[in-house]
């Protein structure tokens, strides 16, 4: 497997995202550029210029027409993918740490930081899926997180719930229509922040990554914990691979903590766990710093990782990846054939 | 396929270009391939015949039309002026990563991490135990804490083993001393007979063993005067287990005479060492390494 290295950013990556067809890869970093790449060969298609601060998050709409980005300059911006044009800027009192389009692309949620007397909020914006349409300034919904600020959030299946991960390690479920808090479950260790939340392809379950060195798979409907993946390093990101039943976890000792730990060799790796058996089945090394973000190609052919070292690495899986099966899986296949 | 090998010195360009080239040929092969033969002159004016066998395979791939459409998009932003294809400054290909999924990958990687040579050695020694010839402890004889104060256990019986083989360097001395009954005194070769017979089989490649393996012995010549046996041993130990190092020294001056013999436990190691070390620069001199000829 030969990774493609993308060196379009000058600072640490914060999020990378594939579009639904898996041919484009969007990357944002703490330098104020959004880059879009062709995932098959690593060619850069363009950059989106306009943000005045570190960009924390990016998301693609289901039709691959728009992207939304959230930044430390207290704005969410909507861009046209094809031309790099900024279509709309929404202003907020604090930095935006997470954006995500709903399943149909008509709504956009943003998670704002708790700072300067403002509480952390989750806002929902209506988006008109036309390039030249006048986007509304109005917030369709504002959820205030008064207990612990939300760090990540996402839309469940059919836009029924908004699931948010919090700084205190809990995960909550909100009604996406009314913004009512339906449930709050302490999933990760107390005060170990949830660093990432990514969905299964059908959005019925999701994976959370946390600083408590575990990743958890949970059902969106009732927040039932399904699986736990235990690692030996704080996690920054986790994703679920389509086609094969694996999860990819990324993490590593944060640079500021390196001096306080003894041997941290070999922790800057993407770890592959079997989604069902919870075993670690492989690692991919390559980054020189912690992995801040991992993303699985929706077509299942590869994955990409973005690190604190400023590089994005796109990997296309070899045949061995697709052929790997547990002995029990093989046995069952044999039985089914008979 | 240059027609002949010409010296670059008497090469004058465009001399015989005028000679006509045979026309290109295309032959349809039975197995569905095509062979084309073309002729041309290279920059040295030599005639070059190129034979290509071509198989045409139609590979059909279905591409999502949306994806195909996006591939035609114009670049923008910082990439606006970039040409088609990945740019060197933003995109590069990393080194190949061996990525194999396995339920016990942790064990696999640990094994891989180790040096294959060390692994081979380990394999060889797997079912052997180390036993000291002096105190029967689990260490090499050379490492024995009693090696200066005690004679080997059952030196005459010849029961001690050289299982691991290493550290048999001081062993002959110890055994020789035991044979003479007194430690450290000289034993003339004529009197070593009994010991030689007793110890012969236990030390196949021993220092004075009569049946030393000439097949795995290298003769090293052009060795510096300043060379030491230990240096040679260190150099050659890289290729495999060295059973004997003999460096000829001048009796008066103690300086090396310029040649040495190195015996390996394994002939394949000796071959490796011979290939690698021949021409190796050592203390300002170039070593010459060859297989020792059988003593007449």
């Amino acid at each position: 497997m030969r990774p493609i290295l993308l060196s379009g950013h000058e600072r640490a990556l914060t999020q990378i995202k594939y579009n639904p067809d898996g041919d484009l890869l969007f990357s944002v970093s703490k330098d104020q550029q959004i880059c879009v790449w062709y995932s098959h060969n690593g060619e850069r298609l363009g950059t989106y210029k306009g943000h005045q601060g570190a960009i924390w998050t990016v998301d693609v709409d289901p039709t691959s027409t728009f992207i939304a980005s959230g930044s430390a300059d207290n704005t969410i911006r909507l861009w046209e993918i094809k031309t790099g044009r900024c279509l709309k800027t929404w202003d907020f009192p604090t930095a935006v740490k997470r954006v995500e389009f709903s399943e149909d692309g008509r709504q956009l949620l943003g998670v704002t930081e708790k700072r300067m007397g403002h509480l952390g909020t989750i806002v929902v914006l209506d988006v008109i899926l036309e390039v030249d349409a006048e986007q509304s300034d109005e917030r369709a919904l504002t959820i205030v997180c008064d207990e612990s600020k939300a760090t990540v959030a996402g839309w469940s299946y059919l836009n029924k719930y908004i699931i948010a991960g919090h700084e205190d390690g809990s995960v909550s479920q909100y009604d996406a229509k009314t913004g009512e808090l339906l449930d709050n479950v302490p999933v990760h260790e107390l005060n170990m922040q949830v660093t990432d939340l990514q969905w299964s392809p059908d959005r019925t379950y999701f994976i959370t990554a946390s600083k408590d060195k575990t990743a958890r798979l949970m059902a969106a409907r009732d927040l039932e914990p399904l699986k736990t993946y235990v690692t030996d390093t704080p996690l920054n990101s986790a994703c679920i691979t389509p086609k094969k039943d694996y999860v990819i976890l990324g993490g590593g000792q944060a640079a500021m903590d390196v001096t306080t730990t003894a041997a941290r060799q070999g922790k800057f790796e993407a770890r592959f766990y079997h989604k069902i058996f919870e075993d670690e089945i492989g690692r991919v090394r390559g980054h020189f710093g912690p992995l801040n973000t991992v993303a699985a190609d929706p077509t299942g052919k590869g994955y990409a990782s973005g690190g604190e070292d400023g590089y994005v690495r796109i990997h296309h899986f070899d045949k061995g990846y697709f052929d790997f099966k547990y002995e029990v899986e093989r046995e069952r296949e044999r039985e089914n054939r008979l | 396929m240059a027609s002949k090998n010409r010296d670059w010195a008497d090469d004058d360009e465009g001399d015989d270009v005028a000679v006509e080239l045979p026309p290109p040929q295309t032959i349809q092969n039975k197995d569905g391939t095509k062979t084309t033969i073309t002729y041309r002159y290279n920059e040295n004016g030599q005639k070059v015949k190129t034979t290509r066998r071509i198989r045409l395979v139609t590979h059909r791939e279905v591409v999502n039309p949306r994806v195909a459409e996006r591939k035609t998009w114009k670049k923008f932003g910082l990439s606006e002026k970039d040409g088609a294809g990945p740019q060197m400054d933003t995109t590069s290909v990393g080194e190949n990563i061996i990525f194999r999924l396995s339920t016990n990958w942790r064990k696999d990687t640990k094994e891989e991490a180790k040096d294959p040579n060390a692994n081979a050695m380990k394999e060889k020694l797997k079912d052997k135990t180390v036993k000291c010839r002096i105190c029967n402890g689990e260490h090499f004889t050379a490492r024995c804490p009693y090696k200066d104060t005690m004679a080997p256990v059952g030196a005459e019986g010849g029961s001690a083993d050289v299982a691991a083989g290493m550290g048999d360097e001081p062993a002959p001395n110890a055994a020789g001393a035991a044979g003479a009954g007194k430690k450290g005194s000289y034993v003339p070769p004529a009197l070593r007979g009994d010991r030689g017979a007793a110890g012969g089989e236990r030390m196949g490649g021993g220092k004075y063993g009569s049946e030393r393996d000439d097949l795995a012995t290298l003769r090293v010549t052009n060795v510096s005067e300043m060379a030491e046996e230990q240096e040679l041993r260190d150099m050659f130990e890289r290729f495999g287990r060295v059973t004997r190092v003999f460096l000829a020294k001048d009796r008066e001056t103690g300086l090396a005479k310029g040649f040495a013999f190195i015996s390996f436990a394994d002939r394949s190691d000796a071959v490796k060492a011979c290939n690698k070390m021949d021409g190796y620069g050592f203390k300002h001199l170039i070593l010459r390494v060859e297989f020792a000829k059988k003593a007449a």
Side-chain angles (χ1 to χ4, degrees), chain A residues 1-7 19 21 23-24 33 38 42-48 64 81-84 246 280-281 283-285 324 326, chain B residues 64 66-67 69-71 73-79 83-86 89-97 99-103 105-106:
Chain A
M1 185 167 73
R2 257 183 196 284
I4 302 171
L5 274 69
L6 312 180
S7 45
N19 70 334
D21 292 321
D23 63 321
L24 297 178
Q33 297 274 4
Y38 288 115
E43 182 181 353
R44 185 162 74 178
L45 171 62
T47 60
Y48 303 84
S64 298
I81 293 177
K82 187 176 178 177
T83 58
Y246 311 139
E280 186 167 2
I281 49 175
R283 282 189 190 186
V284 176
R285 63 188 162 72
F324 173 73
Y326 271 63
Chain B
N64 185 334
R66 291 186 307 252
V67 174
E69 196 255 319
R70 282 196 282 267
K71 279 185 187 159
W73 282 0
K74 260 175 67 186
K75 294 188 180 182
F76 56 91
L78 291 180
S79 291
D89 57 336
T90 53
T91 308
S92 55
V93 176
E95 60 181 293
N96 198 15
I97 292 175
F99 176 52
R100 227 176 358 204
L101 294 177
S102 147
T103 43
W105 71 274
R106 222 180 273 272

Side-chain angles (χ1 to χ4, degrees), chain A residues 89-111:
Chain A
T89 306
W90 287 279
D91 279 298
F92 294 92
T94 56
V96 180
K97 297 303 283 279
R98 193 76 165 196
V99 292
E100 193 170 294
F101 279 100
S102 63
E103 214 173 4
D104 57 4
R106 285 169 200 230
Q107 285 190 310
L108 177 70
L109 71 74
V111 176

Side-chain angles (χ1 to χ4, degrees), chain A residues 293-312:
Chain A
T293 171
V294 291
D297 186 335
T299 59
K301 287 179 195 154
Y303 85 98
S305 56
E308 189 73 18
D309 57 4
Y311 279 95
V312 177

Side-chain angles (χ1 to χ4, degrees), chain A residues 75-304:
Chain A
T75 60
I76 291 179
R77 281 168 199 254
L78 190 72
W79 311 81
E80 190 190 359
I81 293 177
K82 187 176 178 177
T83 58
R85 202 150 52 99
C86 181
L87 302 173
K88 173 77 189 165
T89 306
W90 287 279
D91 279 298
F92 294 92
T94 56
V96 180
K97 297 303 283 279
R98 193 76 165 196
V99 292
E100 193 170 294
F101 279 100
S102 63
E103 214 173 4
D104 57 4
R106 285 169 200 230
Q107 285 190 310
L108 177 70
L109 71 74
V111 176
T112 63
E113 183 73 275
K114 173 186 180 180
R115 195 157 290 161
M116 300 180 291
H118 295 279
L119 286 171
T121 60
I122 301 169
V123 294
V124 177
L125 305 160
D126 286 321
V127 178
I128 304 160
L129 289 172
E130 306 245 340
V131 175
D132 297 315
E134 188 72 35
Q135 305 288 349
S136 157
D137 256 327
E138 217 159 293
R139 277 74 164 145
L141 184 69
T142 304
I143 301 167
V144 179
C145 308
D146 36 16
E147 281 201 11
S148 174
K149 73 169 187 195
T151 50
V152 290
W155 298 89
S156 79
Y157 58 97
L158 307 172
N159 306 333
K160 201 165 176 193
Y161 309 112
I162 289 173
I163 306 287
H166 295 271
E167 199 183 22
D168 65 357
S170 66
V171 170
S172 32
Q173 185 190 45
Y174 297 95
D175 187 303
K177 300 280 177 309
T178 63
E180 188 193 343
L181 177 64
L182 301 173
D183 201 357
N184 181 285
V185 180
V187 180
H188 292 282
E189 269 174 49
L190 191 64
N191 292 332
M192 290 294 196
Q193 113 172 226
V194 179
T195 49
D196 199 8
L197 187 154
Q198 293 198 33
W199 292 94
S200 68
D202 61 1
R203 290 184 186 248
T204 54
Y205 60 96
F206 57 92
I207 189 166
T208 59
S210 165
K211 291 284 180 200
D212 74 352
K213 305 183 180 179
T214 62
R216 283 169 204 259
L217 205 68
M218 297 178 78
R221 186 165 55 99
D222 47 9
L223 297 189
E224 186 198 345
L226 302 171
K227 299 284 173 189
T228 304
Y229 312 98
V230 182
T231 69
D232 56 354
T233 182
L235 292 177
N236 294 330
S237 190
C239 66
I240 300 165
T241 59
K243 303 277 190 289
K244 296 294 284 185
D245 285 329
Y246 311 139
V247 296
I248 309 171
L249 313 181
Q253 208 73 51
M256 58 191 286
D257 301 331
V258 165
T259 49
T260 63
T261 55
R264 40 137 276 278
Q265 205 189 4
K267 300 218 175 152
F268 303 146
E269 293 164 316
R271 296 126 193 274
F272 283 73
Y273 280 68
H274 197 281
K275 187 165 77 185
I276 292 150
F277 298 110
E278 305 176 322
D279 291 331
E280 186 167 2
I281 49 175
R283 282 189 190 186
V284 176
R285 63 188 162 72
H287 280 288
F288 296 110
L291 275 75
N292 285 346
T293 171
V294 291
D297 186 335
T299 59
K301 287 179 195 154
Y303 85 98

